[in-house]
Amino acid sequence: MGYMTDERRMIQETARAFALKEVLPVANRLDPEKGDIPRELIQKLADMGYFGIVIPEQYGGLGLGVFEYCLITEELARAWMSVASIIARGNGLSAGRGMSDAQRAVFLPRAARGEFLGAAAMSEPDVGSDLGNISCRARKDGDSWVITGNKYWCTFADGADFLIIIARTSDAPPGKRHLGLSMFFVEKKRGTLPKGCNGAPIPKIGYFGWKTYELAFDNFRVEAADMIGEEGQAFYYATSGLETARAHTAARAIGLAQGALDDSIRYAGERRQFERPISDFQAIRFKIAEMATQIEAARQLNYFVCEQIDTGQRCDKEASMVKLFASEMAERVCSEGIQIHGGAGYTTLHAVERHWRDARLTKIFEGTSEIQKRIISDRLLGRGRN
């Protein structure tokens, strides 16, 4: 029996129809303007239950697996990767890592309804893959913590309903820089930055639909109750869900590549040169065949990874493999899509250009390609985590 069941096919087809009808026209209109995802579209995503795909039913979610999460993600990314990404701002709370049962009962139902979406303030100007090097500090002041420092690459900081902030609350022991970091969960008013936090959008070449911020925390006060989990253990909370995050990124990359392929097939049938559609030429046909093969290889590997996650099997190596392969593949395939479109592909008139810009980012976030190679090689050579 294959991975796809009748229920999964129905979920996939429903997401595909939604993406093509509700997301793609909005993306084609707003991405060239660098416009934000409309709240109306966010509400439609909420109505479909897409913010609570993996949130348990007891908290108002759909209670589905990472497999279904990635099926839906892929279809949304075929239209606009930013929309495929924003659903993680609800689903990302599904595990409630570090949260108490009482906190889960409060926050997860709101997230599942799309009423409570967050932004993560983890990276810093000098900190990306190396979370252990975080320098933003939180010092204890009575019953509160006071946070001071800078954060970078905080997407959706303005539109979010809460911020997850990782700051250093104590010095790390020698050789254990990952210790001494704590996680804070801070509610805020949507559309604004909280008092004591200033920021500005970072200029980007893609990933439009929402803004990505550089933030400065200046004596930013949070209550002791805002700390999630145990003091000093944030590194483990932040990294414990990486397999799901990397499968989600692979699904986004696959969706982008599939969108580029679909557009290229259609364009090749319509575009005529030398009195023939360009799909008649072997050079174009071979490009399409290679694009489709690479996409399907990535898709099947991601199906395997999702199944491993959902059945509780260890797959950190395989999750890194699919994130690496799918993101590298997506950039190649989308570039080939532009080549098939010729000069028209280098304009904002076709979505293939958007897919190419966004595909380039998948090689960077959720761990760069270089980090994935490090993880894969460490596991193969018997180094690192056992």
Side-chain angles (χ1 to χ4, degrees):
M1 180 178 176
Y3 294 116
M4 294 300 289
T5 63
D6 289 342
E7 180 183 10
R8 284 173 172 173
R9 288 192 184 90
M10 182 182 69
I11 289 170
Q12 182 184 53
E13 291 168 3
T14 300
R16 182 175 303 165
F18 178 87
L20 295 178
K21 179 183 177 183
E22 302 291 349
V23 181
L24 185 58
V26 176
N28 289 341
R29 175 170 55 87
L30 290 182
D31 185 86
E33 303 173 2
K34 302 181 183 180
D36 289 347
I37 301 169
R39 279 288 163 181
E40 295 80 5
L41 180 53
I42 292 176
Q43 184 57 53
K44 290 178 181 179
L45 291 164
D47 293 342
M48 295 293 290
Y50 288 165
F51 289 109
I53 299 166
V54 293
I55 292 178
E57 291 182 277
Q58 71 186 91
Y59 297 117
L62 298 181
L64 299 172
V66 173
F67 197 108
E68 289 77 15
Y69 179 35
C70 286
L71 279 182
I72 293 168
T73 293
E74 180 184 329
E75 297 305 326
L76 294 177
R78 288 174 74 165
W80 202 3
M81 188 177 77
S82 298
V83 169
S85 300
I86 200 172
I87 64 171
R89 302 314 171 107
N91 289 287
L93 286 181
S94 60
R97 288 181 290 274
M99 289 187 183
S100 66
D101 290 341
Q103 288 171 323
R104 290 190 186 96
V106 171
F107 297 134
L108 294 189
R110 296 168 65 191
R113 294 192 299 268
E115 299 171 358
F116 197 60
L117 308 179
M122 299 184 190
S123 296
E124 297 180 2
D126 295 321
V127 177
S129 301
D130 185 12
L131 282 180
N133 198 38
I134 283 177
S135 61
C136 183
R137 298 290 305 216
R139 60 177 176 83
K140 195 71 181 294
D141 183 25
D143 293 332
S144 303
W145 289 88
V146 178
I147 299 175
T148 301
N150 297 320
K151 291 293 181 180
Y152 212 57
W153 301 119
C154 185
T155 299
F156 203 47
D158 55 343
D161 303 295
F162 64 88
L163 297 176
I164 292 179
I165 307 166
I166 294 183
R168 183 164 294 284
T169 50
S170 62
D171 294 331
K176 295 183 178 181
R177 292 184 302 119
H178 63 288
L179 297 180
L181 300 174
S182 299
M183 180 178 289
F184 297 91
F185 190 97
V186 181
E187 292 194 58
K188 57 178 277 297
K189 183 179 179 182
R190 182 184 298 175
T192 66
L193 296 176
K195 183 180 178 181
C197 173
N198 296 304
I202 300 168
K204 302 180 291 186
I205 65 171
Y207 206 33
F208 302 134
W210 46 1
K211 296 177 180 65
T212 299
Y213 277 77
E214 179 176 12
L215 300 176
F217 294 94
D218 183 13
N219 291 316
F220 180 71
R221 186 173 295 272
V222 298
E223 300 301 320
D226 291 332
M227 181 180 288
I228 293 294
E230 297 181 35
E231 182 180 338
Q233 299 299 301
F235 179 86
Y236 297 108
Y237 303 141
T239 59
S240 62
L242 284 178
E243 286 85 357
T244 295
R246 286 169 180 163
H248 178 246
T249 297
R252 287 182 281 179
I254 294 164
L256 290 169
Q258 186 65 54
L261 175 62
D262 292 344
D263 289 351
S264 297
I265 290 172
R266 181 170 53 253
Y267 187 81
E270 297 170 351
R271 175 67 168 170
R272 297 182 67 85
Q273 291 290 280
F274 306 103
E275 301 180 341
R276 301 165 65 185
I278 63 173
S279 58
D280 282 356
F281 300 119
Q282 188 179 70
I284 301 301
R285 297 172 70 89
F286 280 10
K287 284 183 186 295
I288 288 171
E290 290 170 358
M291 291 162 71
T293 301
Q294 292 178 56
I295 292 168
E296 194 58 34
R299 180 179 287 127
Q300 292 300 321
L301 178 54
N302 206 35
Y303 284 172
F304 170 78
V305 169
C306 290
E307 197 77 3
Q308 293 293 101
I309 296 171
D310 286 337
T311 55
Q313 306 300 309
R314 180 176 177 176
C315 61
D316 52 320
K317 170 171 63 73
E318 293 80 4
S320 287
M321 285 178 169
V322 75
K323 198 277 183 184
L324 171 66
F325 181 72
S327 60
E328 300 277 336
M329 174 278 297
E331 187 186 26
R332 291 193 304 270
V333 165
C334 292
S335 181
E336 285 286 59
I338 288 179
Q339 192 70 19
I340 290 172
H341 282 73
Y346 203 65
T347 71
T348 58
L349 298 176
H350 293 273
V352 67
E353 175 267 346
R354 174 173 76 249
H355 297 331
W356 176 58
R357 282 186 284 107
D358 288 348
R360 185 62 185 83
L361 180 58
T362 65
K363 295 170 61 175
I364 298 174
F365 61 13
E366 298 300 347
T368 63
S369 291
E370 291 72 22
I371 287 292
Q372 307 312 319
K373 292 175 184 178
R374 167 74 184 272
I375 294 169
I376 296 164
S377 61
D378 278 354
R379 289 281 283 111
L380 291 172
L381 295 171
R383 300 172 183 174
R385 183 166 71 92
N386 294 318

